Amino acid sequence: MLSVLRRIAQEIDLAGDLVSALNIVARCVREAMQVHLCRIYLVDPKQKQYVLMAFDNNELLPVPSQSLALDDGLLGLVSQRVAPVAHLNLTGDTADEKLAFLGVPIVYHRQVLGVIAVEEANHRIFTEDEEAFLVTLAAQLAGTVVHAKDMGFVFKTAVKPVEETCLQGIPAVAGVAIGEAIVVYPPADLDAVPDRQITAIAEELKRFDDALNLAREDIIQLQQRVEPILPREEQVLFSAYLQVLNSPELKTDIYNEIHDGQWAEGALRNVIKKHMLQFSMMEDHYLKERAEDILALGQRILVHLQERTAQPLQYPAKTILVGEKLTAADLADVPEGLLCGVVSYSGSGNSHVAILARALNIPTIMSAAGLAVTALEGKSVVLDGYHGCLYIDPSPKLLQNYKRWVKEEEELDRELQKLCELPTITSDGKEVQLLLNAGLARDVALSLNTATAGIGLFRTEMSFMNKPKFPTETEQRELYRKLLQAFAPRPVVMRTLDIGGDKPLPYLPIQEDNPFLGWRGIRFTLDHPDIFLMQLRALLSASENLSNLKIMFPMVTSVEEVDEALQLLDRAYQDVTQQGFKIAMPKIGVMLEVPAAIFQMEALAKRVDFFSVGSNDLTQYILAVDRNNARVCGRFDILHPAILRTLQYAVEKAHACHKPISLCGEIASDAVAAVLLLGLGFDQLSMNAGILLRIKWIIRTIPYNRAKELVARVLVLNSASLIRVEVEKLLDEVGLGALIRAGK
Ligand code: PEP
Ligand code: MG
C-alpha cells in the first residue's frame, strides 16, 4: 500500500488543478482497492451541501452531477461522526440492492472538507487495512484541498454573489492601510510565475529563444567542466538535458502558448508542468524520475528570462507589499515612506518579518489565504490589520468606511502626541517605564521622536543579517556608538547576537531539524567565543564616556551559560581597557525566554542586574507552539492562563530578589495584554515605537489597583478567550475601545 500511496501523492502533486487531482485519486483508489466505485465529495460551505467532485467506476459511466445535503444519508453520518463509516446492506434481494459502503472524512483542522466513498455492489467486508489506506489518503488530500481553496478554487455551484473579495489571514500588526498591492516573487520559482497577457509576440519569442540558448550554453559548459572527472555513464545525463532543451516539441509547445498571448514565463511554466506530468505517469521508474530533470531545466530557463526582465520593482506611494514568503530584506528594500502595508502568505504574528513590520508600525497580515498571490499584482486593496482581512478592488462604500477610520486613527495619533511629554504613571502612582524595541537604524530614527525612556531591546542580529559577511569590530562599534550617543543619557539595552531559529545568517547557514530548539542565541555565541568577544569588545568600547549601555544575554537556559558569558565579558573588558578605552562595566541582564531560566531566577539574580521577559519565545516554549507555524498559530495565545501565571511568578521572584524586571516581547505592544502586564507589576515594558503612545494612554487611564484587581480576577479563569473578554470589557468601560478596533 505504501508504494501506492507514494505514487498517488506524486500524481496529486503534478495534477494541474483540484478536479484533476481528485479524479486521479478516485481512479487510483478504485484500482488499488478493486472496488466497483469510488466517489469524492467536497463540502461547499456557501451552499451548505456536498458536491460530487470525482467519480470513477469500472463501467466508464459519465460523471453524474450531484449535490447532497450535508446531513444526507451515509455521507451525513461520516460528517457527523468525523470518522470512517462502514455500512453493509445484505437485506436486498438483488445484487444491486446489496451494498457495501465505506466512507472516510477528509478533515483539516477539525473541519470536514469532504468524503472519499467507495462502494461495492456485492457482499464485501472492508478490512482495517483498507480503511487505514483511505484514512491516510484523505489526510494527504486535505492539504491539497486547502491549498486549492487558498489559491482561489470556487465551486461552480456557488451562486451567491460575493460582495467583497476578501483574503483572510492572521492579524499581525493592527491598523488600516489603503494602497496598491506590489507582489514580490521569489526568483526562479515556476509555481510563482503569474499569468500575463502580451501583444508583442515576436519580441516575446525572441526573449524565450535567448533564454533557451543561455540555458543550453550553461549545460554545455557544465558538461565540459565535469567531463574529466565524471564517469562516462554519468555524462549521459548532460546529453539527455541537451536533448530536452533541443526538443522541437518543447519549443513548439512554448511557441504556441506565446502565440496565444501568454508571456514567455507563463508559457514556460505551463509547458514544463505538462511535460512533467507526462513523465511522471510513465511506469518505467527511470523515465518517471526525469520529471524532476524537466523541472530543473525549466527553472534554469526561467532564471535567464528573469535576468532579462528583472527590473527593479517600482514601488508606488502607498505600497502594500505582498508575497508568498516575505523576508525582512523585502521590507527593507522598499524606499522609506512608501511602505504602508504588508501581506505575507506564510508565517505568523511572531515571525521576524511581522516583528519588523510592527517596529515600523506597518499594518500587517500573515498567512493570508483565499487567492493566488499572482492575482493581486497591481490591485487596489484595503488592508485591515485588526481583523486580518485584505479587500481586493474594494467597493466605493467599503473604501469610504475605511478612509473614515484611517482619518479617525490619524486624529487619535495626533491627540496622543500630547502624551509625549507626560510621565507614564497611573492615576494612583505606579510608574511603568516605556522603552523601545529596535534593530534597524530606521526604527531608531522613528523612536527618537517619541519621548521614550530609552531602548529596552536592541536586536543586534539585525545588523548581522543584512550583510554579506560578519561585520567587523569597527563597523559594529560605530553602529552601537551612534545609537548610544543618540539616546544618552537614556539607557540602551543591547542584546548580544541572537541568531538561529528563524534568524539565519545568509553567510552561515545552519541546517537543523528543530532550529528553535537548536543552536540559538547564547548557545551559538558561547560556542563561538571569537564572534562573541568581538561583539562584546565593540559594545564596551562604543560606550566610552557614556554611561547608558546595558548588555543582555538571549536564550539563557542555565546558570553556567551566564557564568561563561560573564567570563568572556570580563576578558573583553580587559582587552578594551588595555587598548586605552575608558569605560565603566555596564549593567548586565538575562532574558527570561526559556522556562528553565524562570526557575533559576534566584541564582541568576546573584549574577546579573536585571531581567527581561522575552514573551515571544517564552510563549512558544511554554505552550509548545512554534511561533512561526501558521497551522498552530491559533494556539499561540499570549493570554493563555499558563503564560499569565508564569509571568506572575517571574515578577514576584524578581522583586523578591530586588531586581527590576521588564518585558520586551510582542505582547507589550498588545493593548489587551498591556493592561494585564500593568496589573502584574512589571517595572518596564519595551515595545515598538508606533504603539508606545497608545500603551501610555492605557497606563495613564487605568489605575494600577484596578488593573491588579482585574489580574486577580482573570488568573483563576481557565481559558484565554474568557480572559480576553474580561479585559476588553474594562477597556470599553474606561473609554479605550479605540485600541481594540478600527476607527476612534
Ligand atoms: C522574545 O523572544 O520575546 C524576544 C524579544 O526575542 P526575539 O523575538 O527576537 O526572539
Ligand atoms: Mg527571543
Side-chain angles (χ1 to χ4, degrees):
M1 282 292 183
L2 188 61
S3 65
V4 179
L5 282 167
R6 268 208 203 115
R7 181 165 55 85
I8 300 178
Q10 275 167 359
E11 290 194 26
I12 294 178
D13 264 1
L14 292 170
D17 56 64
L18 180 61
V19 177
S20 319
L22 295 175
N23 276 302
I24 291 171
V25 175
R27 176 179 47 77
C28 295
V29 167
R30 191 184 59 72
E31 287 169 4
M33 291 181 68
Q34 299 194 344
V35 283
H36 171 69
L37 174 66
C38 175
R39 299 179 218 249
I40 302 180
Y41 295 87
L42 289 187
V43 173
D44 176 354
K46 284 211 176 88
Q47 302 298 319
K48 296 200 177 22
Q49 62 185 12
Y50 277 116
V51 178
L52 179 63
M53 303 293 297
F55 176 90
D56 198 275
N57 72 358
N58 52 12
E59 287 152 17
L60 297 174
L61 293 174
V63 180
S65 95
Q66 201 184 83
S67 18
L68 298 168
L70 288 184
D71 54 2
D72 194 88
L74 290 170
L75 288 188
L77 213 55
V78 177
S79 293
Q80 196 191 331
R81 294 192 186 163
V82 198
V85 169
H87 175 81
L88 184 61
N89 181 7
L90 297 175
T91 55
D93 294 332
T94 63
D96 270 1
E97 282 167 343
K98 292 188 174 132
L99 171 80
F101 168 95
L102 174 63
V104 299
I106 304 170
V107 183
Y108 189 81
H109 279 213
R110 302 177 196 187
Q111 235 187 333
V112 176
L113 303 179
V115 173
I116 307 179
V118 291
E119 279 175 31
E120 189 58 71
N122 299 310
H123 176 255
R124 165 149 181 188
I125 299 197
F126 292 106
T127 64
E128 276 190 6
D129 262 0
E130 287 174 323
E131 185 179 308
F133 167 72
L134 278 193
V135 169
T136 314
L137 201 56
Q140 282 177 356
L141 206 52
T144 310
V145 174
V146 169
H147 180 71
K149 287 186 172 177
D150 287 353
M151 292 295 130
F153 170 81
V154 278
F155 289 95
K156 295 247 164 53
T157 51
V159 288
K160 283 185 196 153
V162 180
E163 274 171 19
E164 299 284 353
T165 312
C166 173
L167 236 78
Q168 190 63 48
I170 301 166
V173 182
V176 170
I178 300 174
E180 185 185 329
I182 297 298
V183 180
V184 181
Y185 299 103
D189 179 357
L190 273 175
D191 284 326
V193 165
D195 284 327
R196 205 174 275 171
Q197 289 298 306
I198 44 111
T199 45
I201 307 287
E203 260 174 46
E204 208 60 14
L205 291 173
K206 167 142 186 4
R207 237 168 46 77
F208 169 70
D209 281 344
D210 289 348
L212 182 67
N213 287 336
L214 287 169
R216 207 178 279 133
E217 275 168 34
D218 286 349
I219 301 293
I220 294 171
Q221 272 179 19
L222 213 58
Q223 190 178 29
Q224 286 165 351
R225 244 198 0 252
V226 297
E227 208 175 335
I229 42 173
L230 212 62
R232 235 183 153 53
E233 328 66 274
E234 304 290 341
Q235 291 181 26
V236 177
L237 179 68
F238 292 94
S239 318
Y241 277 3
L242 285 173
Q243 233 173 1
V244 174
L245 290 176
N246 292 331
S247 128
E249 200 192 331
L250 183 90
K251 195 164 169 169
T252 315
D253 283 357
I254 291 178
Y255 266 40
N256 286 344
E257 292 249 354
I258 295 177
H259 279 295
D260 287 345
Q262 179 67 269
W263 69 324
E265 282 86 338
L268 178 72
R269 177 202 60 204
N270 293 346
V271 173
I272 291 289
K273 290 264 161 181
K274 189 180 100 187
H275 284 244
M276 280 177 74
L277 187 63
Q278 283 166 357
F279 272 91
S280 68
M281 303 295 265
M282 293 179 182
E283 284 301 326
D284 181 299
H285 193 65
Y286 176 81
L287 288 175
K288 206 188 258 301
E289 294 208 337
R290 300 289 62 81
E292 287 305 310
D293 296 335
I294 306 260
L295 176 65
L297 289 171
Q299 278 171 336
R300 190 167 281 275
I301 302 173
L302 183 64
V303 168
H304 289 299
L305 277 171
Q306 288 180 336
E307 270 168 7
R308 313 193 134 242
T309 44
Q311 284 154 2
L313 268 177
Q314 297 296 316
Y315 301 98
K318 298 235 176 259
T319 293
I320 304 221
L321 211 60
V322 182
E324 294 275 358
K325 206 172 191 174
L326 288 179
T327 63
D330 294 325
L331 268 59
D333 278 347
V334 184
E336 220 167 319
L338 303 187
L339 183 63
C340 70
V342 173
V343 181
S344 174
Y345 272 50
S346 56
S348 75
N350 301 290
S351 306
H352 279 94
V353 63
I355 291 178
L356 179 60
R358 206 167 294 125
L360 300 171
N361 200 23
I362 307 287
T364 296
I365 300 177
M366 301 295 287
S367 279
L371 258 189
V373 71
T374 49
L376 294 179
E377 201 165 62
K379 292 272 193 249
S380 140
V381 291
V382 168
L383 187 160
D384 179 340
Y386 291 96
H387 301 102
C389 306
L390 184 80
Y391 296 96
I392 299 133
D393 289 332
S395 65
K397 187 159 182 326
L398 186 114
L399 201 57
Q400 194 189 4
N401 280 342
Y402 271 100
K403 278 189 174 157
R404 197 183 72 233
W405 287 329
V406 168
K407 217 164 128 226
E408 285 179 4
E409 296 226 319
E410 284 167 0
E411 271 168 30
L412 178 64
D413 282 337
R414 262 196 305 279
E415 277 171 33
L416 290 179
Q417 286 300 320
K418 289 188 217 131
L419 302 183
C420 258
E421 304 305 325
L422 299 176
T424 317
I425 195 158
T426 61
S427 55
D428 49 356
K430 159 89 177 162
E431 186 182 359
V432 185
Q433 285 190 328
L434 298 190
L435 303 150
L436 289 162
N437 289 351
L440 289 178
R442 204 198 277 192
D443 41 84
V444 169
L446 251 175
S447 324
L448 273 169
N449 302 329
T450 43
T452 136
I455 294 207
L457 168 66
F458 187 78
R459 291 184 164 97
T460 59
E461 59 277 4
M462 294 280 194
S463 56
F464 282 67
M465 284 163 71
N466 57 15
K467 290 241 158 25
K469 59 168 184 47
F470 279 107
T472 64
E473 193 170 320
T474 311
E475 280 170 335
Q476 290 186 55
R477 182 187 312 120
E478 281 168 7
L479 170 73
Y480 305 148
R481 181 145 185 93
K482 238 188 251 165
L483 204 71
L484 290 168
Q485 279 176 328
F487 275 84
R490 292 173 285 177
V492 176
V493 179
M494 298 280 195
R495 177 175 73 183
T496 58
L497 191 59
D498 185 22
I499 55 154
D502 68 340
K503 288 181 286 189
L505 292 178
Y507 41 91
L508 189 77
I510 302 172
Q511 290 300 332
E512 291 177 310
D513 284 345
N514 288 306
F516 277 110
L517 300 182
W519 212 27
R520 295 188 64 189
I522 201 163
R523 302 172 184 184
F524 172 85
T525 44
L526 288 178
D527 286 350
H528 261 295
D530 46 338
I531 295 167
F532 198 21
L533 278 168
M534 204 184 344
Q535 182 177 42
L536 292 172
R537 281 195 302 262
L539 284 167
L540 292 170
S541 56
S543 73
E544 195 180 36
N545 300 326
L546 298 167
S547 53
N548 57 340
L549 169 67
K550 292 184 178 190
I551 293 180
M552 179 160 79
F553 302 131
M555 274 297 287
V556 167
T557 312
S558 69
V559 176
E560 285 96 328
E561 285 170 343
V562 175
D563 286 338
E564 272 183 67
L566 291 175
Q567 274 166 20
L568 287 170
L569 183 69
D570 265 344
R571 222 169 102 185
Y573 185 81
Q574 305 303 335
D575 286 353
V576 288
T577 45
Q578 270 165 23
Q579 282 172 353
F581 287 98
K582 307 244 170 315
I583 45 161
M585 193 52 134
K587 292 237 185 297
I588 305 299
V590 158
M591 284 194 79
L592 300 174
E593 48 185 354
V594 178
I598 305 247
F599 297 104
Q600 297 176 87
M601 285 175 69
E602 278 170 25
L604 292 170
K606 294 197 177 105
R607 291 159 168 84
V608 297
D609 306 295
F610 65 93
F611 292 111
S612 185
V613 175
S615 55
N616 308 335
D617 280 315
L618 187 64
T619 308
Q620 101 165 324
Y621 296 131
I622 288 187
L623 300 184
V625 176
D626 179 345
R627 61 192 266 183
N628 278 316
N629 185 341
R631 278 208 189 113
V632 287
C633 68
R635 296 170 187 273
F636 191 99
D637 199 325
I638 53 181
L639 300 185
H640 190 294
I643 303 295
L644 297 182
R645 287 173 206 161
T646 309
L647 295 180
Q648 183 190 37
Y649 175 88
V651 174
E652 283 175 7
K653 260 290 168 255
H655 288 164
C657 298
H658 307 289
K659 299 288 174 187
I661 180 162
S662 83
L663 184 143
C664 61
E666 296 306 296
I667 67 172
S669 303
D670 179 290
V672 172
V675 179
L676 298 174
L677 299 178
L678 165 68
L680 283 166
F682 276 92
D683 303 302
Q684 298 173 330
L685 299 176
S686 191
M687 64 201 66
N688 308 297
I691 200 80
L692 192 133
L693 289 177
R694 292 175 179 227
I695 304 295
K696 195 175 208 177
W697 191 25
I698 293 178
I699 290 168
R700 291 187 54 85
T701 309
I702 301 180
Y704 179 42
N705 279 327
R706 189 136 184 217
K708 266 206 310 203
E709 181 268 321
L710 177 73
V711 165
R713 204 148 36 85
V714 301
L715 269 175
V716 296
L717 299 176
N718 283 326
S719 122
S721 42
L722 291 180
I723 296 175
R724 187 173 298 279
V725 169
E726 289 297 312
V727 185
E728 289 188 351
K729 225 191 292 169
L730 175 66
L731 284 168
D732 273 325
E733 263 169 42
V734 297
L736 295 176
L739 294 178
I740 44 177
R741 60 188 72 91
K744 225 172 163 182

